[in-house]
Amino acid sequence: MTDHLELPAREWWKSAVVYQIYPRSFADSDGDGIGDLPGITGRLDYLAALGVDVIWLSPVYPSPQDDNGYDISDYQDIDPVFGTLADFDELLEGVHRRGMKLLMDLVVNHTSDEHPWFVESRSSRENPRRDWYWWRPPRPGMTAGDPGAEPTNWLSAFSGSAWELDRDSGEYYLHLFSRKQPDLNWENPEVRAAVYAMMRWWLDRGVDGFRMDVINMISKDPALPDGHSHPGSSPWGDGLPHVLNGPNIHTYLQEMHREVFALHSRAFLAVGETPGCTVEEARLYTDPARGELDMVFQFEHVQVDQDGTKWQRRPLVLGELRAVMNRWQVGLADVGWNSLYWNNHDQPRVVSRYGDDGPEHRVRAATALGTVLHLHRGTPYIYQGEELGMTNAPFVHIEDFRDIESVNHYAAAVAAGQDPHAVLEDLRAVSRDNARTPMQWDGGLHAGFTTGTPWLAVNPNHREINAEAAQADPGSVWHHYRALIGLRHTESAVVHGDFTLLLTEHEQLYAFTRRHRHTVLLVIANLSSRTAVADQVPDVAAWERAELLLSNAPAPDAAHHRFALRPWEARVYRRVQ
Ligand code: TEU
């Protein structure tokens, strides 16, 4: 980070760009077809050349891999498939030596069912760790195992009931995700103390903070009430209102801050993944005076193309996306801080989802979307391959998918009578596996990801879309992302500037200004595959004469009589007033 941006040390992350690595798919060093820590270490110079400041590492802890590592069986070691703690220490040293920081993925809403804590908890009703998880008897008047005997009518995120019967004890345990991911009971102070001790252990090892998995789910409504029935999927009910942003969430986060982060002089980064979080709640989570989180991942902007669940797809309406992004910019303008993302390991590739991934427009669309995102106020997160304009994958059969969420949804939807072809279409569009195909390093065998058989098929378009080709091409998405990162490190208006949305009704253009002291930036992008006229921009004549700071297309030819942008063209102008 550059101190001329005048940031207090504890807010270093306001001028940082974070790069998310999904280790399983990033770089394989030992030929087993699965990415690993030495593979990441071997690619640190690539990340340093891109210019990112922070690496967020998706889980590499010991895990049965039921949910690709988000089911943890030991919080203080490394799964052998990814390497060893010595490999981790070598990676961390390499990250720090290059002036970067590293965040671990903290998954403490739930453990694996193979974690010793759960193994003990399920061993008997009298076990001292029984209350470390959510155990409940069958619904009153019903027999364990009978349909509907589950303690609540909640659906899990991965299909089926959120309760699993343990026949030995005749009780059910709660799992908001897979049945191999039992939810920890954060009401129990012993659970909280154990989590905090583990967090301190990683900070003492030198990590620089955490991305906190579904952290706003750790406080549940202790009454565990039934949810309102899902339209068309009864008898199941929606448990989310009873597990999101629960009654003790702020108490727990403030306690975590006191028991973990406040004990160190270093400035860390704590970013919470908070599905279902509103702007109002984010103001509470990220208000620095409250000592909770530095920023959150909200989900509203990655749900504007959905009608209810992610499988109920509808076309993107630019105005809706723009309105959501604006609401979050305005809502956190005076307190708190935004995270900025389009992609992660759970979301389809944005150039396929909100852009145009055809050969004619893919590069422009990817760089236009990147420009819009990175010029907002907040901390941008780049997901591996986004900087290459990687696209969704051409999955064909259900056997091509690996993600538990997708595989379970297909089985449940087809069993419920849905057309398998239609369900496959939904998977092709929004399956999390779209984000998890191996990183495309070069145009050779398996895209240079592995010398073995990749755990998930490499996208065949790696022959054209790969890091080697992108770094050699000044007009690539990679070089544009590098320029965006550089702008954040040098232009104080990108970090500190206010945000004013323009052209709020335009169907193609996304435009806004960022103003800081005497500098004003105009960001304008044509997020469509047709030319767009932009002469309604206020003070357009002055902007036409302004300095063109960054663009994803050759300078507009002088013949242009009007302020028009070509398909997927994005520009950043600067004026000093
Ligand atoms: O995701 C939580 C979450 O909200 C996701 O279930 C998301 O809604 C869904 O994947 C959209 O399709 C976190 C992790 O990012 C995810 O990979 C894990 O599967 C999940 O928690 C359980 O740990």
Side-chain angles (χ1 to χ4, degrees), residues 58 105 115 133 203 216 221 233 261 266 275 285 315 327 351 354-356 470 511-512 526 529 547 564:
S58 275
D105 210 317
H115 192 293
Y133 294 84
L203 295 186
N216 65 327
D221 176 343
S233 67
F261 298 112
R266 284 187 293 149
Y285 286 131
R327 186 150 45 78
V351 70
Y354 290 165
D356 180 335
F512 55 90
N526 175 3
S529 299
E547 176 193 6

Side-chain angles (χ1 to χ4, degrees), residues 444-470:
L445 182 65
H446 304 317
F449 162 70
T450 180
T451 56
T453 302
W455 72 277
L456 179 65
V458 172
N459 193 321
N461 67 16
H462 73 276
R463 293 178 183 81
E464 302 79 39
I465 304 173
N466 61 72
E468 185 177 69

Side-chain angles (χ1 to χ4, degrees), residues 3-20:
D3 57 13
H4 79 268
L5 293 175
E6 301 167 30
L7 279 172
R10 72 181 182 288
E11 294 181 354
W12 57 270
W13 29 265
K14 287 190 172 180
S15 64
V17 176
V18 183
Y19 187 94
Q20 181 193 355

